[in-house]
Amino acid sequence: MKKISVLIPCYNEEKTLPLLYPELVKLMEGLPDYEWEIMFVNDGSADNTLHILQQLRQQDKRVNYVDLSRNFGKEVAMLAGFDYVTGDCMVIVDADLQDPPALIPEMLKYWEEGYEDVYARRRTRGKESWLRKWLSIKFYKLLQRTSRFDVLQNVGDFRLLDRRCINALKRMRESERYTKGMFCWIGFNKKEVEFDRGDRVAGSSSWGYKQLFSLAIDGITSFTSAPLRISTFVGFVVSMLAFIYMIYVFIKALIWGDPVQGYPSMVILILFLGGIQLLSLGIIGEYIGRIYNETKNRPDYIVREFNGVPDMGDEHKD
Ligand code: UDP
Ligand code: MG
C-alpha cells in the first residue's frame, strides 16, 4: 500500500486546527486505499497549538508532530517536515484551510500517472491589498528575468511531491531558504492543477510586509547573483563617464585655464558616486551576510520532541 504524508507547518494555529482536522479525516476516509501520515510541524507556537497536536496524536496514530524549540519560520519548518515524513509522496498544506484538502485526490491522480511534482496554481488570491498583489507580480517578473529556471507565479507551497523530490529537497540544507524557488530548481515532471484560494478560516496571517520583503530578498539572493552583476555594470558605466569627464576637464584646464568654479558639478559628482558606492556595498553586503550565515554551518532547526519523544540533540538527522 502506498503511503501518503500530509505536511502541515503550524504557527499559532489553535483556532484553525479544530477546523482542519475534520477535513483531513474526510480526505483520508475518501481514499482508504492509501496509508496516511499527517505530519504537523509546530513552529514554536506561543498558543495552545502544541497541546492540540498532542491530543490529536493520542486519538489518532496517523497524526504525528514535530515540535521545534522555537519559531524558525515556515521555510525551515517545512525542511524539518521533509526530514521527518516517511511517505512515498508528500502534500504540503497550510493549516488555515487556504489550501483546500479537497484538491488532494486530483493531485494524487496525476501522481499515479507518473508526475513527480503536482503543484496548485491559485486562480484567485483571496483577500489581499492591491499593493501586495502588485509587489508580488513585480517580484516574480524580476526573479523570472534574472534566473535560469522558471519560478512560477501564483504558485505557493501547496503541492504534491514524489519521494524523489523530497530526497532532493532534503539535500538542500541552506539556512536562508526560499523553498518556492527550490521546488522549481530541482526539476522533475511537473503538473499544474488550479484552485481558488479562499481566505483564512480563523486567526490572522503572520506575514506582514516586513516578512514578505525579507522573503523576497532571500528569494533573489539565493537564486541569482544578478544584483551583483548590475552593480558591476553600473560601476563600469559610471567610471567610463567619469573618465571621459576627467579628460574633458583636464583639456579644458590646459587650454583655457581654470578660474575656481564648478562647485555644482563637483557636488553632483561626489553625491552620485557616493550613492552608487553605497548601493553596491549594500548589495555586496547582502551576499556576504548570507555567506557568513552558511559558513557557520549551524543546524537548520532544533527539535524539542517528536511524537512526545524528547529529542536530546545527540543524534544528527541529515
Ligand atoms: N507558518 C509557520 N511558521 C511561521 C509562519 C507561518 O509554520 O513562522 C505556517 C502557518 O501556520 C500556516 C502557513 O505557514 O500553516 C502559512 O501561514 P499564513 O497563513 O500565516 O501565511 P499566508 O497564507 O498569509 O501566506
Ligand atoms: Mg494563510
Side-chain angles (χ1 to χ4, degrees), residues 196-212:
D196 291 306
R197 188 163 164 95
D199 296 326
R200 230 174 200 287
V201 283
S204 60
S205 168
S206 38
W207 297 84
Y209 281 108
K210 202 172 133 222
Q211 283 89 345
L212 285 173

PDB file of all heavy atoms in Angstrom, residues 196-212:
ATOM      1  N   ASP A 196      -9.170  27.851  -6.366  1.00  0.00           N
ATOM      2  CA  ASP A 196      -9.462  29.199  -5.896  1.00  0.00           C
ATOM      3  C   ASP A 196      -9.009  29.299  -4.461  1.00  0.00           C
ATOM      4  O   ASP A 196      -9.448  28.533  -3.618  1.00  0.00           O
ATOM      5  CB  ASP A 196     -10.967  29.493  -5.985  1.00  0.00           C
ATOM      6  CG  ASP A 196     -11.408  29.594  -7.418  1.00  0.00           C
ATOM      7  OD1 ASP A 196     -10.804  30.399  -8.147  1.00  0.00           O
ATOM      8  OD2 ASP A 196     -12.323  28.848  -7.827  1.00  0.00           O
ATOM      9  N   ARG A 197      -8.135  30.244  -4.190  1.00  0.00           N
ATOM     10  CA  ARG A 197      -7.639  30.389  -2.836  1.00  0.00           C
ATOM     11  C   ARG A 197      -8.620  31.224  -2.041  1.00  0.00           C
ATOM     12  O   ARG A 197      -8.923  32.346  -2.393  1.00  0.00           O
ATOM     13  CB  ARG A 197      -6.284  31.072  -2.853  1.00  0.00           C
ATOM     14  CG  ARG A 197      -5.590  31.101  -1.508  1.00  0.00           C
ATOM     15  CD  ARG A 197      -4.119  31.413  -1.737  1.00  0.00           C
ATOM     16  NE  ARG A 197      -3.417  31.824  -0.533  1.00  0.00           N
ATOM     17  CZ  ARG A 197      -2.727  30.985   0.240  1.00  0.00           C
ATOM     18  NH1 ARG A 197      -2.700  29.710  -0.034  1.00  0.00           N
ATOM     19  NH2 ARG A 197      -2.068  31.450   1.283  1.00  0.00           N
ATOM     20  N   GLY A 198      -9.132  30.635  -0.985  1.00  0.00           N
ATOM     21  CA  GLY A 198     -10.085  31.362  -0.144  1.00  0.00           C
ATOM     22  C   GLY A 198      -9.352  32.200   0.886  1.00  0.00           C
ATOM     23  O   GLY A 198      -8.147  32.410   0.799  1.00  0.00           O
ATOM     24  N   ASP A 199     -10.068  32.676   1.869  1.00  0.00           N
ATOM     25  CA  ASP A 199      -9.436  33.415   2.951  1.00  0.00           C
ATOM     26  C   ASP A 199      -9.167  32.475   4.100  1.00  0.00           C
ATOM     27  O   ASP A 199      -9.715  31.386   4.190  1.00  0.00           O
ATOM     28  CB  ASP A 199     -10.347  34.558   3.402  1.00  0.00           C
ATOM     29  CG  ASP A 199     -10.544  35.557   2.281  1.00  0.00           C
ATOM     30  OD1 ASP A 199      -9.592  35.757   1.510  1.00  0.00           O
ATOM     31  OD2 ASP A 199     -11.654  36.099   2.161  1.00  0.00           O
ATOM     32  N   ARG A 200      -8.292  32.896   4.982  1.00  0.00           N
ATOM     33  CA  ARG A 200      -8.012  32.175   6.208  1.00  0.00           C
ATOM     34  C   ARG A 200      -9.310  31.870   6.954  1.00  0.00           C
ATOM     35  O   ARG A 200     -10.154  32.753   7.082  1.00  0.00           O
ATOM     36  CB  ARG A 200      -7.198  33.123   7.080  1.00  0.00           C
ATOM     37  CG  ARG A 200      -5.983  32.524   7.629  1.00  0.00           C
ATOM     38  CD  ARG A 200      -5.177  33.541   8.346  1.00  0.00           C
ATOM     39  NE  ARG A 200      -3.849  32.994   8.424  1.00  0.00           N
ATOM     40  CZ  ARG A 200      -3.537  31.999   9.244  1.00  0.00           C
ATOM     41  NH1 ARG A 200      -4.408  31.536  10.083  1.00  0.00           N
ATOM     42  NH2 ARG A 200      -2.337  31.492   9.219  1.00  0.00           N
ATOM     43  N   VAL A 201      -9.496  30.646   7.483  1.00  0.00           N
ATOM     44  CA  VAL A 201     -10.744  30.366   8.202  1.00  0.00           C
ATOM     45  C   VAL A 201     -10.776  31.033   9.567  1.00  0.00           C
ATOM     46  O   VAL A 201     -11.823  31.411  10.064  1.00  0.00           O
ATOM     47  CB  VAL A 201     -11.005  28.853   8.371  1.00  0.00           C
ATOM     48  CG1 VAL A 201     -11.498  28.271   7.081  1.00  0.00           C
ATOM     49  CG2 VAL A 201      -9.781  28.139   8.872  1.00  0.00           C
ATOM     50  N   ALA A 202      -9.629  31.163  10.205  1.00  0.00           N
ATOM     51  CA  ALA A 202      -9.580  31.802  11.529  1.00  0.00           C
ATOM     52  C   ALA A 202      -8.164  32.270  11.786  1.00  0.00           C
ATOM     53  O   ALA A 202      -7.243  31.923  11.057  1.00  0.00           O
ATOM     54  CB  ALA A 202     -10.004  30.799  12.610  1.00  0.00           C
ATOM     55  N   GLY A 203      -7.997  33.060  12.827  1.00  0.00           N
ATOM     56  CA  GLY A 203      -6.662  33.578  13.133  1.00  0.00           C
ATOM     57  C   GLY A 203      -6.240  34.604  12.104  1.00  0.00           C
ATOM     58  O   GLY A 203      -7.035  35.017  11.265  1.00  0.00           O
ATOM     59  N   SER A 204      -4.973  35.040  12.151  1.00  0.00           N
ATOM     60  CA  SER A 204      -4.547  36.035  11.171  1.00  0.00           C
ATOM     61  C   SER A 204      -3.209  35.635  10.571  1.00  0.00           C
ATOM     62  O   SER A 204      -2.445  34.894  11.165  1.00  0.00           O
ATOM     63  CB  SER A 204      -4.442  37.410  11.832  1.00  0.00           C
ATOM     64  OG  SER A 204      -3.500  37.332  12.871  1.00  0.00           O
ATOM     65  N   SER A 205      -2.965  36.133   9.361  1.00  0.00           N
ATOM     66  CA  SER A 205      -1.739  35.793   8.652  1.00  0.00           C
ATOM     67  C   SER A 205      -0.535  36.359   9.392  1.00  0.00           C
ATOM     68  O   SER A 205      -0.575  37.457   9.920  1.00  0.00           O
ATOM     69  CB  SER A 205      -1.760  36.362   7.238  1.00  0.00           C
ATOM     70  OG  SER A 205      -0.482  36.261   6.674  1.00  0.00           O
ATOM     71  N   SER A 206       0.537  35.558   9.442  1.00  0.00           N
ATOM     72  CA  SER A 206       1.702  36.034  10.164  1.00  0.00           C
ATOM     73  C   SER A 206       2.704  36.690   9.238  1.00  0.00           C
ATOM     74  O   SER A 206       3.802  36.999   9.626  1.00  0.00           O
ATOM     75  CB  SER A 206       2.349  34.866  10.908  1.00  0.00           C
ATOM     76  OG  SER A 206       2.293  33.708  10.118  1.00  0.00           O
ATOM     77  N   TRP A 207       2.304  36.909   7.997  1.00  0.00           N
ATOM     78  CA  TRP A 207       3.229  37.533   7.045  1.00  0.00           C
ATOM     79  C   TRP A 207       2.856  38.988   6.853  1.00  0.00           C
ATOM     80  O   TRP A 207       1.953  39.298   6.107  1.00  0.00           O
ATOM     81  CB  TRP A 207       3.189  36.816   5.704  1.00  0.00           C
ATOM     82  CG  TRP A 207       3.624  35.396   5.777  1.00  0.00           C
ATOM     83  CD1 TRP A 207       2.839  34.331   6.116  1.00  0.00           C
ATOM     84  CD2 TRP A 207       4.928  34.874   5.544  1.00  0.00           C
ATOM     85  NE1 TRP A 207       3.600  33.190   6.083  1.00  0.00           N
ATOM     86  CE2 TRP A 207       4.872  33.486   5.743  1.00  0.00           C
ATOM     87  CE3 TRP A 207       6.151  35.458   5.177  1.00  0.00           C
ATOM     88  CZ2 TRP A 207       5.983  32.668   5.590  1.00  0.00           C
ATOM     89  CZ3 TRP A 207       7.248  34.634   5.027  1.00  0.00           C
ATOM     90  CH2 TRP A 207       7.153  33.258   5.236  1.00  0.00           C
ATOM     91  N   GLY A 208       3.581  39.874   7.490  1.00  0.00           N
ATOM     92  CA  GLY A 208       3.403  41.294   7.233  1.00  0.00           C
ATOM     93  C   GLY A 208       4.303  41.675   6.071  1.00  0.00           C
ATOM     94  O   GLY A 208       5.013  40.843   5.521  1.00  0.00           O
ATOM     95  N   TYR A 209       4.273  42.969   5.708  1.00  0.00           N
ATOM     96  CA  TYR A 209       5.123  43.411   4.615  1.00  0.00           C
ATOM     97  C   TYR A 209       6.597  43.187   4.917  1.00  0.00           C
ATOM     98  O   TYR A 209       7.393  42.887   4.053  1.00  0.00           O
ATOM     99  CB  TYR A 209       4.874  44.887   4.312  1.00  0.00           C
ATOM    100  CG  TYR A 209       3.615  45.083   3.504  1.00  0.00           C
ATOM    101  CD1 TYR A 209       2.471  45.632   4.065  1.00  0.00           C
ATOM    102  CD2 TYR A 209       3.564  44.707   2.167  1.00  0.00           C
ATOM    103  CE1 TYR A 209       1.314  45.786   3.334  1.00  0.00           C
ATOM    104  CE2 TYR A 209       2.415  44.853   1.424  1.00  0.00           C
ATOM    105  CZ  TYR A 209       1.282  45.402   2.015  1.00  0.00           C
ATOM    106  OH  TYR A 209       0.145  45.543   1.275  1.00  0.00           O
ATOM    107  N   LYS A 210       6.945  43.331   6.208  1.00  0.00           N
ATOM    108  CA  LYS A 210       8.349  43.170   6.581  1.00  0.00           C
ATOM    109  C   LYS A 210       8.823  41.745   6.289  1.00  0.00           C
ATOM    110  O   LYS A 210       9.873  41.541   5.676  1.00  0.00           O
ATOM    111  CB  LYS A 210       8.495  43.479   8.081  1.00  0.00           C
ATOM    112  CG  LYS A 210       9.894  43.855   8.464  1.00  0.00           C
ATOM    113  CD  LYS A 210       9.940  44.329   9.913  1.00  0.00           C
ATOM    114  CE  LYS A 210      11.075  43.648  10.615  1.00  0.00           C
ATOM    115  NZ  LYS A 210      10.750  43.194  11.954  1.00  0.00           N
ATOM    116  N   GLN A 211       8.026  40.753   6.675  1.00  0.00           N
ATOM    117  CA  GLN A 211       8.407  39.362   6.436  1.00  0.00           C
ATOM    118  C   GLN A 211       8.442  39.062   4.937  1.00  0.00           C
ATOM    119  O   GLN A 211       9.333  38.371   4.458  1.00  0.00           O
ATOM    120  CB  GLN A 211       7.415  38.400   7.098  1.00  0.00           C
ATOM    121  CG  GLN A 211       7.585  38.263   8.600  1.00  0.00           C
ATOM    122  CD  GLN A 211       6.769  39.284   9.356  1.00  0.00           C
ATOM    123  OE1 GLN A 211       6.301  40.260   8.783  1.00  0.00           O
ATOM    124  NE2 GLN A 211       6.602  39.064  10.643  1.00  0.00           N
ATOM    125  N   LEU A 212       7.436  39.620   4.209  1.00  0.00           N
ATOM    126  CA  LEU A 212       7.392  39.364   2.776  1.00  0.00           C
ATOM    127  C   LEU A 212       8.605  39.985   2.094  1.00  0.00           C
ATOM    128  O   LEU A 212       9.190  39.403   1.192  1.00  0.00           O
ATOM    129  CB  LEU A 212       6.101  39.930   2.173  1.00  0.00           C
ATOM    130  CG  LEU A 212       4.860  39.108   2.489  1.00  0.00           C
ATOM    131  CD1 LEU A 212       3.611  39.822   2.003  1.00  0.00           C
ATOM    132  CD2 LEU A 212       4.937  37.737   1.837  1.00  0.00           C
TER     133      LEU A 212
END
